[in-house]
């Protein structure tokens, strides 16, 4: 059924996060995995775009790659520039997103809310993809800021890092699915 395949996918995401951050509480992994699963469906890639040499971009892999690169799955991550949470969102960007996307947001502490942080990160990536026309350029702008991206192009190692995590998730998921199929066959 669709629900059981959704549950399996969310569990796989949680297992992947746990592999990357072994000390993370089960409840935090579960909450983050569900938010990633739910919000990845909102990612909108420009038509005919590709990422990590793939035309059919895996939304979960893309989002996992961004979060892993930005915060190493640390909810309370804070950068030296003041970006906060899983997706390292600047409080000013959050204020702007809250206004333009009608997201309930009081102050920067809200960026430590899993739901708010992931939702804002995804919607901001969508805006940047619309603005730049490609996932790679959107990532460069996400990292450097749109102004920085336009001025100096951004850090080329940033999308590469995300691509590495993107493929790591896909390999993890693939091996997990093979394992699940074998376990299922054994049970029959």
């Amino acid at each position: 059924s669709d629900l059981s395949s959704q549950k399996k996918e969310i569990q796989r995401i949680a297992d992947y996060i746990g592999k990357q951050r072994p000390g993370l509480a089960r409840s935090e992994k579960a909450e983050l995995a569900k938010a990633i699963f739910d919000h990845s469906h909102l990612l909108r890639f420009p038509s005919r775009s590709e990422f990590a040499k793939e035309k059919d971009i895996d939304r979960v892999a893309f989002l996992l790659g961004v979060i892993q690169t930005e915060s190493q799955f640390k909810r309370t991550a804070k950068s030296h520039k003041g970006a906060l949470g899983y997706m390292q969102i600047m409080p000013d960007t959050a204020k702007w997103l809250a206004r333009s996307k009608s997201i309930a947001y009081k102050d920067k502490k809200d960026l430590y809310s899993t739901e708010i942080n992931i939702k804002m990160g995804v919607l901001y990536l969508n805006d940047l993809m619309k603005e730049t026309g490609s996932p790679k350029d959107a990532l460069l702008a996400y990292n450097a800021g749109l102004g920085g991206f336009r001025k100096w192009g951004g850090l080329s190692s940033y999308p590469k890092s995300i691509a590495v995590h993107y493929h790591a998730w896909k390999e993890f998921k693939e091996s997990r699915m093979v394992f699940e199929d074998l376990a299922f066959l054994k049970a029959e």
Side-chain angles (χ1 to χ4, degrees):
S1 85
D2 205 34
L3 191 65
S4 81
S5 71
Q6 280 182 14
K7 276 190 173 145
K8 267 189 189 149
E9 180 77 343
I10 292 168
Q11 186 56 55
R12 277 187 215 111
I13 296 167
D15 291 344
Y16 177 79
I17 294 165
K19 207 180 133 207
Q20 310 305 318
R21 287 224 43 224
L24 209 55
R26 177 181 285 157
S27 60
E28 195 173 336
K29 274 188 297 209
E31 186 186 10
L32 177 56
K34 188 171 180 342
I36 289 169
F37 179 82
D38 290 345
H39 294 298
S40 65
H41 300 291
L42 302 175
L43 277 169
R44 295 290 169 258
F45 298 105
S47 60
R48 292 185 305 282
S49 58
E50 57 177 76
F51 181 72
K53 298 186 170 58
E54 293 188 353
K55 287 191 186 350
D56 189 15
I57 303 169
D58 181 322
R59 287 175 160 76
V60 168
F62 189 84
L63 194 49
L64 275 167
V66 173
I67 295 167
Q68 192 170 350
T69 301
E70 286 292 338
S71 67
Q72 289 73 51
F73 302 113
K74 194 167 190 273
R75 189 177 56 81
T76 56
K78 184 179 183 191
S79 78
H80 64 284
K81 288 194 171 162
L84 302 173
Y86 288 121
M87 296 193 71
Q88 291 292 283
I89 296 167
M90 294 296 283
D92 284 347
T93 304
K95 274 186 219 150
W96 171 78
L97 282 163
R99 272 197 311 270
S100 65
K101 312 284 182 202
S102 312
I103 301 168
Y105 175 80
K106 285 190 290 296
D107 60 32
K108 65 183 183 181
K109 280 196 294 290
D110 286 349
L111 290 174
Y112 292 128
S113 150
T114 302
E115 191 63 23
I116 291 173
N117 192 282
I118 306 295
K119 184 178 190 170
M120 283 189 168
V122 165
L123 294 174
Y124 186 45
L125 279 165
N126 284 349
D127 281 354
L128 293 171
M129 283 195 256
K130 225 182 260 165
E131 196 68 38
T132 63
S134 95
K136 183 181 174 230
D137 288 347
L139 290 171
L140 290 166
Y142 189 89
N143 181 250
L146 197 50
F149 168 70
R150 289 198 173 121
K151 225 178 283 157
W152 53 275
L155 212 56
S156 64
S157 61
Y158 182 76
K160 287 186 186 121
S161 167
I162 291 167
V164 167
H165 298 314
Y166 176 99
H167 287 298
W169 156 251
K170 292 193 69 169
E171 281 165 31
F172 177 86
K173 179 181 171 177
E174 205 65 39
S175 65
R176 214 20 92 91
M177 288 168 82
V178 168
F179 177 76
E180 288 164 9
D181 289 345
L182 290 173
F184 177 74
L185 290 172
K186 223 178 186 170
E188 277 191 334

